Amino acid sequence: MARGLHWGMAVLVGVQLALGAMAVTWRVSPAKVELFFWHKSLGFLIFALLALRLAWRAVDRAPPLPAAMPDWERTAARANQALLYALLALLPLSGWIVNSAANVPFRIFRIVPLPAIVPPDEAVTRAFARVHLGFAMLLLLAVAAHAGAAWRHHRVRRDDVLARMLPWGGRT
Ligand code: HEM
Ligand code: HEM
């Protein structure tokens, strides 16, 4: 379950970053509206999956890290993973603020009407669009460090941290 959520969400987050970048750069057209529709809907799906994932993590703990791992690496790994979780919540929340401040009516997947969390305000829209972009850049950096560390475990340290996490890996 934890691995399924991890890799499923990793794919969704990749698609989501691409959709966001496409939606902002596309020329004004029905296709742009459609890109934003999918970007916002998928953003809330990721938000919901995050809640499920944190709940799951609370009952089914991750296996311990290799005993040989130095303390600073453990701290770095935990800090970066906490940052990844935080960003997966802060991105939908900041996007929601942009959407509310821009006063755009929206139904998630054309079904669930999205209430506004802030009143309409152009300055807030612009400021939070920048915050949202900043969070997206930070997410890219954090994922790069995270994937780089996973690669290092596998090829340099040659431990099982990546192998046990792979969808086809064995249970430890
Ligand atoms: C994990 C979730 C999300 C990720 C990774 C993400 C990522 C991005 C990225 C990369 C962009 C383009 C860069 C930019 O801001 O100019 C963007 C733009 C945008 N996103 Fe998201 N987003 C997420 C969730 C959401 C949600 C839930 C909403 C709305 C309810 C939303 C609304 C927007 C809006 C309105 C823009 C355009 C901002 C502008 O005009 O510059 N995003 N997002
Ligand atoms: C959007 C992309 C990704 C996100 C948001 C993400 C997020 C996370 C988070 C939050 C954890 C901590 C799980 C826990 O609570 O203990 C984790 C674990 C892990 N991730 Fe990722 N991940 C992403 C992509 C990747 C990629 C591309 C790789 C490999 C190349 C990878 C390899 C791992 C491994 C090996 C672990 C287990 C670490 C351990 O045993 O403590 N992840 N990931």
Side-chain angles (χ1 to χ4, degrees):
M1 179 77 174
R3 286 184 296 200
L5 281 167
H6 175 271
W7 294 108
M9 284 180 75
V11 170
L12 290 182
V13 168
V15 171
Q16 178 67 350
L17 287 165
L19 274 175
M22 283 164 77
V24 286
T25 48
W26 218 264
R27 68 186 161 79
V28 178
S29 61
K32 187 183 180 88
V33 177
E34 197 68 8
L35 283 169
F36 265 119
F37 164 75
W38 286 105
H39 178 74
K40 295 178 203 173
S41 297
L42 193 58
F44 280 103
L45 176 63
I46 292 171
F47 201 25
L49 288 173
L50 175 68
L52 176 65
R53 182 164 169 188
L54 289 174
W56 188 267
R57 184 182 192 281
V59 284
D60 189 13
R61 310 293 307 174
L65 290 166
M69 235 174 109
D71 279 350
W72 76 267
E73 282 186 11
R74 286 168 195 275
T75 311
R78 292 295 164 238
N80 198 41
Q81 288 164 8
L83 177 65
L84 287 167
Y85 281 132
L87 289 170
L88 291 182
L90 290 170
L91 272 152
L93 287 173
S94 56
W96 191 354
I97 294 176
V98 178
N99 196 76
S100 307
N103 202 13
V104 179
F106 177 67
R107 279 174 182 269
I108 304 166
F109 291 111
R110 298 195 224 283
I111 301 166
V112 187
L114 185 68
I117 43 171
V118 296
D121 187 320
E122 244 181 69
V124 172
T125 309
R126 272 197 304 273
F128 272 85
R130 235 172 281 144
V131 169
H132 191 67
L133 172 64
F135 284 153
M137 298 291 122
L138 200 55
L139 178 65
L140 271 176
L141 288 178
V143 169
H146 178 71
W151 181 87
R152 182 165 174 272
H153 276 285
H154 200 62
R155 301 309 301 259
V156 181
R157 284 288 164 81
R158 298 188 182 277
D159 59 29
D160 70 345
V161 168
L162 175 59
R164 71 186 184 187
M165 190 65 185
L166 294 175
W168 54 86
R171 235 195 121 83
T172 43

PDB file of all heavy atoms in Angstrom, residues 24 39 90-102 117-119 121-136:
ATOM      1  N   VAL A  24       0.013  27.484 -17.746  1.00  0.00           N
ATOM      2  CA  VAL A  24       0.377  28.912 -17.655  1.00  0.00           C
ATOM      3  C   VAL A  24       0.954  29.431 -18.967  1.00  0.00           C
ATOM      4  O   VAL A  24       0.792  30.607 -19.284  1.00  0.00           O
ATOM      5  CB  VAL A  24       1.350  29.256 -16.501  1.00  0.00           C
ATOM      6  CG1 VAL A  24       0.663  29.218 -15.164  1.00  0.00           C
ATOM      7  CG2 VAL A  24       2.569  28.372 -16.496  1.00  0.00           C
ATOM      8  N   HIS A  39      -5.413  20.430 -14.254  1.00  0.00           N
ATOM      9  CA  HIS A  39      -4.379  20.767 -13.268  1.00  0.00           C
ATOM     10  C   HIS A  39      -5.001  20.903 -11.865  1.00  0.00           C
ATOM     11  O   HIS A  39      -4.502  20.345 -10.890  1.00  0.00           O
ATOM     12  CB  HIS A  39      -3.665  22.064 -13.667  1.00  0.00           C
ATOM     13  CG  HIS A  39      -2.619  22.495 -12.686  1.00  0.00           C
ATOM     14  ND1 HIS A  39      -1.398  21.855 -12.565  1.00  0.00           N
ATOM     15  CD2 HIS A  39      -2.614  23.473 -11.754  1.00  0.00           C
ATOM     16  CE1 HIS A  39      -0.701  22.435 -11.609  1.00  0.00           C
ATOM     17  NE2 HIS A  39      -1.404  23.424 -11.089  1.00  0.00           N
ATOM     18  N   LEU A  90       1.200  22.120   0.691  1.00  0.00           N
ATOM     19  CA  LEU A  90       1.263  23.567   0.443  1.00  0.00           C
ATOM     20  C   LEU A  90       0.945  23.921  -1.011  1.00  0.00           C
ATOM     21  O   LEU A  90       0.384  24.990  -1.277  1.00  0.00           O
ATOM     22  CB  LEU A  90       2.656  24.097   0.811  1.00  0.00           C
ATOM     23  CG  LEU A  90       2.958  24.102   2.313  1.00  0.00           C
ATOM     24  CD1 LEU A  90       4.436  24.402   2.565  1.00  0.00           C
ATOM     25  CD2 LEU A  90       2.082  25.136   3.026  1.00  0.00           C
ATOM     26  N   LEU A  91       1.269  23.030  -1.944  1.00  0.00           N
ATOM     27  CA  LEU A  91       0.968  23.326  -3.352  1.00  0.00           C
ATOM     28  C   LEU A  91      -0.533  23.392  -3.606  1.00  0.00           C
ATOM     29  O   LEU A  91      -1.015  24.395  -4.130  1.00  0.00           O
ATOM     30  CB  LEU A  91       1.675  22.332  -4.278  1.00  0.00           C
ATOM     31  CG  LEU A  91       3.090  22.802  -4.649  1.00  0.00           C
ATOM     32  CD1 LEU A  91       4.012  21.664  -4.943  1.00  0.00           C
ATOM     33  CD2 LEU A  91       3.040  23.794  -5.807  1.00  0.00           C
ATOM     34  N   PRO A  92      -1.311  22.356  -3.227  1.00  0.00           N
ATOM     35  CA  PRO A  92      -2.758  22.489  -3.419  1.00  0.00           C
ATOM     36  C   PRO A  92      -3.340  23.680  -2.657  1.00  0.00           C
ATOM     37  O   PRO A  92      -4.195  24.392  -3.185  1.00  0.00           O
ATOM     38  CB  PRO A  92      -3.322  21.169  -2.885  1.00  0.00           C
ATOM     39  CG  PRO A  92      -2.184  20.213  -2.936  1.00  0.00           C
ATOM     40  CD  PRO A  92      -0.936  21.011  -2.763  1.00  0.00           C
ATOM     41  N   LEU A  93      -2.866  23.929  -1.438  1.00  0.00           N
ATOM     42  CA  LEU A  93      -3.421  25.038  -0.648  1.00  0.00           C
ATOM     43  C   LEU A  93      -3.138  26.388  -1.305  1.00  0.00           C
ATOM     44  O   LEU A  93      -4.048  27.231  -1.427  1.00  0.00           O
ATOM     45  CB  LEU A  93      -2.869  25.013   0.783  1.00  0.00           C
ATOM     46  CG  LEU A  93      -3.437  23.901   1.667  1.00  0.00           C
ATOM     47  CD1 LEU A  93      -2.704  23.838   3.000  1.00  0.00           C
ATOM     48  CD2 LEU A  93      -4.942  24.106   1.902  1.00  0.00           C
ATOM     49  N   SER A  94      -1.891  26.591  -1.776  1.00  0.00           N
ATOM     50  CA  SER A  94      -1.582  27.875  -2.421  1.00  0.00           C
ATOM     51  C   SER A  94      -2.321  28.002  -3.746  1.00  0.00           C
ATOM     52  O   SER A  94      -2.777  29.087  -4.119  1.00  0.00           O
ATOM     53  CB  SER A  94      -0.069  28.040  -2.604  1.00  0.00           C
ATOM     54  OG  SER A  94       0.470  26.959  -3.336  1.00  0.00           O
ATOM     55  N   GLY A  95      -2.481  26.877  -4.485  1.00  0.00           N
ATOM     56  CA  GLY A  95      -3.253  26.905  -5.738  1.00  0.00           C
ATOM     57  C   GLY A  95      -4.709  27.274  -5.456  1.00  0.00           C
ATOM     58  O   GLY A  95      -5.329  28.050  -6.190  1.00  0.00           O
ATOM     59  N   TRP A  96      -5.233  26.727  -4.369  1.00  0.00           N
ATOM     60  CA  TRP A  96      -6.619  27.002  -3.967  1.00  0.00           C
ATOM     61  C   TRP A  96      -6.789  28.498  -3.660  1.00  0.00           C
ATOM     62  O   TRP A  96      -7.795  29.121  -4.027  1.00  0.00           O
ATOM     63  CB  TRP A  96      -6.950  26.143  -2.747  1.00  0.00           C
ATOM     64  CG  TRP A  96      -8.377  26.073  -2.341  1.00  0.00           C
ATOM     65  CD1 TRP A  96      -9.437  26.774  -2.859  1.00  0.00           C
ATOM     66  CD2 TRP A  96      -8.918  25.232  -1.314  1.00  0.00           C
ATOM     67  NE1 TRP A  96     -10.589  26.424  -2.222  1.00  0.00           N
ATOM     68  CE2 TRP A  96     -10.305  25.484  -1.265  1.00  0.00           C
ATOM     69  CE3 TRP A  96      -8.371  24.302  -0.428  1.00  0.00           C
ATOM     70  CZ2 TRP A  96     -11.146  24.824  -0.364  1.00  0.00           C
ATOM     71  CZ3 TRP A  96      -9.205  23.650   0.451  1.00  0.00           C
ATOM     72  CH2 TRP A  96     -10.578  23.910   0.484  1.00  0.00           C
ATOM     73  N   ILE A  97      -5.778  29.074  -2.995  1.00  0.00           N
ATOM     74  CA  ILE A  97      -5.829  30.516  -2.693  1.00  0.00           C
ATOM     75  C   ILE A  97      -5.813  31.330  -3.990  1.00  0.00           C
ATOM     76  O   ILE A  97      -6.617  32.264  -4.151  1.00  0.00           O
ATOM     77  CB  ILE A  97      -4.657  30.930  -1.758  1.00  0.00           C
ATOM     78  CG1 ILE A  97      -4.839  30.271  -0.385  1.00  0.00           C
ATOM     79  CG2 ILE A  97      -4.559  32.450  -1.625  1.00  0.00           C
ATOM     80  CD1 ILE A  97      -3.715  30.507   0.599  1.00  0.00           C
ATOM     81  N   VAL A  98      -4.947  30.942  -4.949  1.00  0.00           N
ATOM     82  CA  VAL A  98      -4.899  31.662  -6.239  1.00  0.00           C
ATOM     83  C   VAL A  98      -6.281  31.603  -6.901  1.00  0.00           C
ATOM     84  O   VAL A  98      -6.834  32.611  -7.328  1.00  0.00           O
ATOM     85  CB  VAL A  98      -3.851  31.045  -7.214  1.00  0.00           C
ATOM     86  CG1 VAL A  98      -3.858  31.774  -8.554  1.00  0.00           C
ATOM     87  CG2 VAL A  98      -2.461  31.065  -6.606  1.00  0.00           C
ATOM     88  N   ASN A  99      -6.842  30.384  -6.940  1.00  0.00           N
ATOM     89  CA  ASN A  99      -8.138  30.199  -7.597  1.00  0.00           C
ATOM     90  C   ASN A  99      -9.250  31.000  -6.910  1.00  0.00           C
ATOM     91  O   ASN A  99     -10.101  31.592  -7.576  1.00  0.00           O
ATOM     92  CB  ASN A  99      -8.486  28.712  -7.603  1.00  0.00           C
ATOM     93  CG  ASN A  99      -9.588  28.391  -8.576  1.00  0.00           C
ATOM     94  OD1 ASN A  99      -9.353  28.339  -9.778  1.00  0.00           O
ATOM     95  ND2 ASN A  99     -10.805  28.209  -8.076  1.00  0.00           N
ATOM     96  N   SER A 100      -9.208  31.047  -5.565  1.00  0.00           N
ATOM     97  CA  SER A 100     -10.227  31.789  -4.815  1.00  0.00           C
ATOM     98  C   SER A 100     -10.065  33.292  -5.040  1.00  0.00           C
ATOM     99  O   SER A 100     -11.033  33.995  -5.330  1.00  0.00           O
ATOM    100  CB  SER A 100     -10.110  31.501  -3.320  1.00  0.00           C
ATOM    101  OG  SER A 100     -10.131  30.118  -3.078  1.00  0.00           O
ATOM    102  N   ALA A 101      -8.834  33.792  -4.910  1.00  0.00           N
ATOM    103  CA  ALA A 101      -8.583  35.232  -5.042  1.00  0.00           C
ATOM    104  C   ALA A 101      -8.895  35.701  -6.460  1.00  0.00           C
ATOM    105  O   ALA A 101      -9.338  36.836  -6.669  1.00  0.00           O
ATOM    106  CB  ALA A 101      -7.150  35.555  -4.670  1.00  0.00           C
ATOM    107  N   ALA A 102      -8.672  34.812  -7.454  1.00  0.00           N
ATOM    108  CA  ALA A 102      -8.966  35.172  -8.849  1.00  0.00           C
ATOM    109  C   ALA A 102     -10.467  35.093  -9.127  1.00  0.00           C
ATOM    110  O   ALA A 102     -10.924  35.448 -10.210  1.00  0.00           O
ATOM    111  CB  ALA A 102      -8.204  34.251  -9.800  1.00  0.00           C
ATOM    112  N   ILE A 117     -11.584  30.197  -0.381  1.00  0.00           N
ATOM    113  CA  ILE A 117     -11.028  30.310   0.984  1.00  0.00           C
ATOM    114  C   ILE A 117     -10.510  31.717   1.263  1.00  0.00           C
ATOM    115  O   ILE A 117     -10.164  32.021   2.402  1.00  0.00           O
ATOM    116  CB  ILE A 117      -9.930  29.255   1.301  1.00  0.00           C
ATOM    117  CG1 ILE A 117      -8.960  29.083   0.128  1.00  0.00           C
ATOM    118  CG2 ILE A 117     -10.532  27.927   1.705  1.00  0.00           C
ATOM    119  CD1 ILE A 117      -7.737  28.231   0.475  1.00  0.00           C
ATOM    120  N   VAL A 118     -10.408  32.555   0.232  1.00  0.00           N
ATOM    121  CA  VAL A 118     -10.082  33.983   0.457  1.00  0.00           C
ATOM    122  C   VAL A 118     -10.989  34.807  -0.467  1.00  0.00           C
ATOM    123  O   VAL A 118     -11.451  34.308  -1.486  1.00  0.00           O
ATOM    124  CB  VAL A 118      -8.588  34.315   0.165  1.00  0.00           C
ATOM    125  CG1 VAL A 118      -7.651  33.593   1.105  1.00  0.00           C
ATOM    126  CG2 VAL A 118      -8.219  34.016  -1.287  1.00  0.00           C
ATOM    127  N   PRO A 119     -11.280  36.080  -0.092  1.00  0.00           N
ATOM    128  CA  PRO A 119     -12.125  36.911  -0.950  1.00  0.00           C
ATOM    129  C   PRO A 119     -11.381  37.325  -2.226  1.00  0.00           C
ATOM    130  O   PRO A 119     -10.149  37.287  -2.251  1.00  0.00           O
ATOM    131  CB  PRO A 119     -12.415  38.137  -0.070  1.00  0.00           C
ATOM    132  CG  PRO A 119     -11.366  38.159   0.971  1.00  0.00           C
ATOM    133  CD  PRO A 119     -10.867  36.760   1.150  1.00  0.00           C
ATOM    134  N   ASP A 121      -9.304  39.194  -4.845  1.00  0.00           N
ATOM    135  CA  ASP A 121      -8.289  40.245  -4.651  1.00  0.00           C
ATOM    136  C   ASP A 121      -7.155  40.017  -5.664  1.00  0.00           C
ATOM    137  O   ASP A 121      -6.495  38.978  -5.633  1.00  0.00           O
ATOM    138  CB  ASP A 121      -7.732  40.156  -3.215  1.00  0.00           C
ATOM    139  CG  ASP A 121      -6.805  41.325  -2.883  1.00  0.00           C
ATOM    140  OD1 ASP A 121      -6.018  41.731  -3.760  1.00  0.00           O
ATOM    141  OD2 ASP A 121      -6.866  41.805  -1.729  1.00  0.00           O
ATOM    142  N   GLU A 122      -6.954  41.028  -6.527  1.00  0.00           N
ATOM    143  CA  GLU A 122      -5.955  40.861  -7.585  1.00  0.00           C
ATOM    144  C   GLU A 122      -4.535  40.733  -7.048  1.00  0.00           C
ATOM    145  O   GLU A 122      -3.742  39.938  -7.551  1.00  0.00           O
ATOM    146  CB  GLU A 122      -6.018  42.052  -8.543  1.00  0.00           C
ATOM    147  CG  GLU A 122      -6.446  41.635  -9.935  1.00  0.00           C
ATOM    148  CD  GLU A 122      -6.488  42.826 -10.881  1.00  0.00           C
ATOM    149  OE1 GLU A 122      -5.402  43.341 -11.200  1.00  0.00           O
ATOM    150  OE2 GLU A 122      -7.595  43.242 -11.257  1.00  0.00           O
ATOM    151  N   ALA A 123      -4.213  41.555  -6.026  1.00  0.00           N
ATOM    152  CA  ALA A 123      -2.851  41.531  -5.473  1.00  0.00           C
ATOM    153  C   ALA A 123      -2.564  40.161  -4.844  1.00  0.00           C
ATOM    154  O   ALA A 123      -1.465  39.609  -5.003  1.00  0.00           O
ATOM    155  CB  ALA A 123      -2.682  42.643  -4.446  1.00  0.00           C
ATOM    156  N   VAL A 124      -3.559  39.611  -4.138  1.00  0.00           N
ATOM    157  CA  VAL A 124      -3.388  38.289  -3.510  1.00  0.00           C
ATOM    158  C   VAL A 124      -3.197  37.229  -4.595  1.00  0.00           C
ATOM    159  O   VAL A 124      -2.362  36.321  -4.476  1.00  0.00           O
ATOM    160  CB  VAL A 124      -4.603  37.959  -2.603  1.00  0.00           C
ATOM    161  CG1 VAL A 124      -4.545  36.526  -2.096  1.00  0.00           C
ATOM    162  CG2 VAL A 124      -4.670  38.942  -1.433  1.00  0.00           C
ATOM    163  N   THR A 125      -3.973  37.338  -5.687  1.00  0.00           N
ATOM    164  CA  THR A 125      -3.841  36.381  -6.796  1.00  0.00           C
ATOM    165  C   THR A 125      -2.405  36.369  -7.307  1.00  0.00           C
ATOM    166  O   THR A 125      -1.786  35.297  -7.438  1.00  0.00           O
ATOM    167  CB  THR A 125      -4.771  36.769  -7.977  1.00  0.00           C
ATOM    168  OG1 THR A 125      -6.084  36.963  -7.474  1.00  0.00           O
ATOM    169  CG2 THR A 125      -4.789  35.697  -9.057  1.00  0.00           C
ATOM    170  N   ARG A 126      -1.878  37.569  -7.575  1.00  0.00           N
ATOM    171  CA  ARG A 126      -0.514  37.653  -8.130  1.00  0.00           C
ATOM    172  C   ARG A 126       0.517  37.133  -7.129  1.00  0.00           C
ATOM    173  O   ARG A 126       1.413  36.373  -7.483  1.00  0.00           O
ATOM    174  CB  ARG A 126      -0.193  39.104  -8.503  1.00  0.00           C
ATOM    175  CG  ARG A 126      -0.632  39.450  -9.929  1.00  0.00           C
ATOM    176  CD  ARG A 126       0.053  40.720 -10.399  1.00  0.00           C
ATOM    177  NE  ARG A 126      -0.199  41.830  -9.472  1.00  0.00           N
ATOM    178  CZ  ARG A 126      -1.252  42.639  -9.540  1.00  0.00           C
ATOM    179  NH1 ARG A 126      -2.147  42.453 -10.485  1.00  0.00           N
ATOM    180  NH2 ARG A 126      -1.413  43.624  -8.669  1.00  0.00           N
ATOM    181  N   ALA A 127       0.381  37.550  -5.869  1.00  0.00           N
ATOM    182  CA  ALA A 127       1.360  37.145  -4.849  1.00  0.00           C
ATOM    183  C   ALA A 127       1.357  35.620  -4.687  1.00  0.00           C
ATOM    184  O   ALA A 127       2.415  34.985  -4.671  1.00  0.00           O
ATOM    185  CB  ALA A 127       1.044  37.823  -3.520  1.00  0.00           C
ATOM    186  N   PHE A 128       0.157  35.021  -4.603  1.00  0.00           N
ATOM    187  CA  PHE A 128       0.107  33.581  -4.364  1.00  0.00           C
ATOM    188  C   PHE A 128       0.445  32.764  -5.599  1.00  0.00           C
ATOM    189  O   PHE A 128       0.883  31.612  -5.489  1.00  0.00           O
ATOM    190  CB  PHE A 128      -1.208  33.172  -3.703  1.00  0.00           C
ATOM    191  CG  PHE A 128      -1.110  33.277  -2.206  1.00  0.00           C
ATOM    192  CD1 PHE A 128      -1.339  34.492  -1.571  1.00  0.00           C
ATOM    193  CD2 PHE A 128      -0.704  32.188  -1.450  1.00  0.00           C
ATOM    194  CE1 PHE A 128      -1.197  34.610  -0.195  1.00  0.00           C
ATOM    195  CE2 PHE A 128      -0.551  32.298  -0.073  1.00  0.00           C
ATOM    196  CZ  PHE A 128      -0.796  33.512   0.553  1.00  0.00           C
ATOM    197  N   ALA A 129       0.269  33.354  -6.800  1.00  0.00           N
ATOM    198  CA  ALA A 129       0.732  32.663  -8.013  1.00  0.00           C
ATOM    199  C   ALA A 129       2.249  32.525  -7.926  1.00  0.00           C
ATOM    200  O   ALA A 129       2.815  31.490  -8.285  1.00  0.00           O
ATOM    201  CB  ALA A 129       0.327  33.440  -9.263  1.00  0.00           C
ATOM    202  N   ARG A 130       2.913  33.559  -7.391  1.00  0.00           N
ATOM    203  CA  ARG A 130       4.368  33.499  -7.248  1.00  0.00           C
ATOM    204  C   ARG A 130       4.761  32.491  -6.162  1.00  0.00           C
ATOM    205  O   ARG A 130       5.716  31.737  -6.314  1.00  0.00           O
ATOM    206  CB  ARG A 130       4.913  34.892  -6.920  1.00  0.00           C
ATOM    207  CG  ARG A 130       5.982  35.315  -7.925  1.00  0.00           C
ATOM    208  CD  ARG A 130       6.398  36.746  -7.752  1.00  0.00           C
ATOM    209  NE  ARG A 130       5.443  37.668  -8.340  1.00  0.00           N
ATOM    210  CZ  ARG A 130       5.137  38.867  -7.821  1.00  0.00           C
ATOM    211  NH1 ARG A 130       5.673  39.251  -6.684  1.00  0.00           N
ATOM    212  NH2 ARG A 130       4.287  39.657  -8.428  1.00  0.00           N
ATOM    213  N   VAL A 131       4.023  32.504  -5.055  1.00  0.00           N
ATOM    214  CA  VAL A 131       4.286  31.542  -3.969  1.00  0.00           C
ATOM    215  C   VAL A 131       4.128  30.109  -4.502  1.00  0.00           C
ATOM    216  O   VAL A 131       4.974  29.233  -4.263  1.00  0.00           O
ATOM    217  CB  VAL A 131       3.312  31.792  -2.784  1.00  0.00           C
ATOM    218  CG1 VAL A 131       3.361  30.654  -1.771  1.00  0.00           C
ATOM    219  CG2 VAL A 131       3.639  33.129  -2.107  1.00  0.00           C
ATOM    220  N   HIS A 132       3.046  29.890  -5.260  1.00  0.00           N
ATOM    221  CA  HIS A 132       2.749  28.568  -5.832  1.00  0.00           C
ATOM    222  C   HIS A 132       3.904  28.117  -6.745  1.00  0.00           C
ATOM    223  O   HIS A 132       4.364  26.980  -6.658  1.00  0.00           O
ATOM    224  CB  HIS A 132       1.438  28.682  -6.619  1.00  0.00           C
ATOM    225  CG  HIS A 132       0.831  27.387  -7.053  1.00  0.00           C
ATOM    226  ND1 HIS A 132       0.315  26.465  -6.173  1.00  0.00           N
ATOM    227  CD2 HIS A 132       0.625  26.865  -8.287  1.00  0.00           C
ATOM    228  CE1 HIS A 132      -0.169  25.442  -6.852  1.00  0.00           C
ATOM    229  NE2 HIS A 132       0.017  25.652  -8.141  1.00  0.00           N
ATOM    230  N   LEU A 133       4.383  29.041  -7.576  1.00  0.00           N
ATOM    231  CA  LEU A 133       5.511  28.736  -8.464  1.00  0.00           C
ATOM    232  C   LEU A 133       6.761  28.413  -7.632  1.00  0.00           C
ATOM    233  O   LEU A 133       7.484  27.455  -7.932  1.00  0.00           O
ATOM    234  CB  LEU A 133       5.774  29.925  -9.398  1.00  0.00           C
ATOM    235  CG  LEU A 133       7.038  29.848 -10.270  1.00  0.00           C
ATOM    236  CD1 LEU A 133       6.932  28.691 -11.252  1.00  0.00           C
ATOM    237  CD2 LEU A 133       7.251  31.154 -11.039  1.00  0.00           C
ATOM    238  N   GLY A 134       7.001  29.205  -6.576  1.00  0.00           N
ATOM    239  CA  GLY A 134       8.159  28.965  -5.711  1.00  0.00           C
ATOM    240  C   GLY A 134       8.099  27.575  -5.085  1.00  0.00           C
ATOM    241  O   GLY A 134       9.100  26.844  -5.078  1.00  0.00           O
ATOM    242  N   PHE A 135       6.926  27.177  -4.599  1.00  0.00           N
ATOM    243  CA  PHE A 135       6.761  25.840  -4.008  1.00  0.00           C
ATOM    244  C   PHE A 135       7.042  24.754  -5.056  1.00  0.00           C
ATOM    245  O   PHE A 135       7.642  23.728  -4.761  1.00  0.00           O
ATOM    246  CB  PHE A 135       5.340  25.654  -3.458  1.00  0.00           C
ATOM    247  CG  PHE A 135       5.079  26.369  -2.146  1.00  0.00           C
ATOM    248  CD1 PHE A 135       3.792  26.779  -1.817  1.00  0.00           C
ATOM    249  CD2 PHE A 135       6.101  26.598  -1.240  1.00  0.00           C
ATOM    250  CE1 PHE A 135       3.534  27.425  -0.613  1.00  0.00           C
ATOM    251  CE2 PHE A 135       5.858  27.244  -0.029  1.00  0.00           C
ATOM    252  CZ  PHE A 135       4.570  27.657   0.278  1.00  0.00           C
ATOM    253  N   ALA A 136       6.569  24.996  -6.306  1.00  0.00           N
ATOM    254  CA  ALA A 136       6.777  24.000  -7.375  1.00  0.00           C
ATOM    255  C   ALA A 136       8.273  23.846  -7.663  1.00  0.00           C
ATOM    256  O   ALA A 136       8.770  22.724  -7.830  1.00  0.00           O
ATOM    257  CB  ALA A 136       6.015  24.398  -8.635  1.00  0.00           C
TER     258      ALA A 136
END
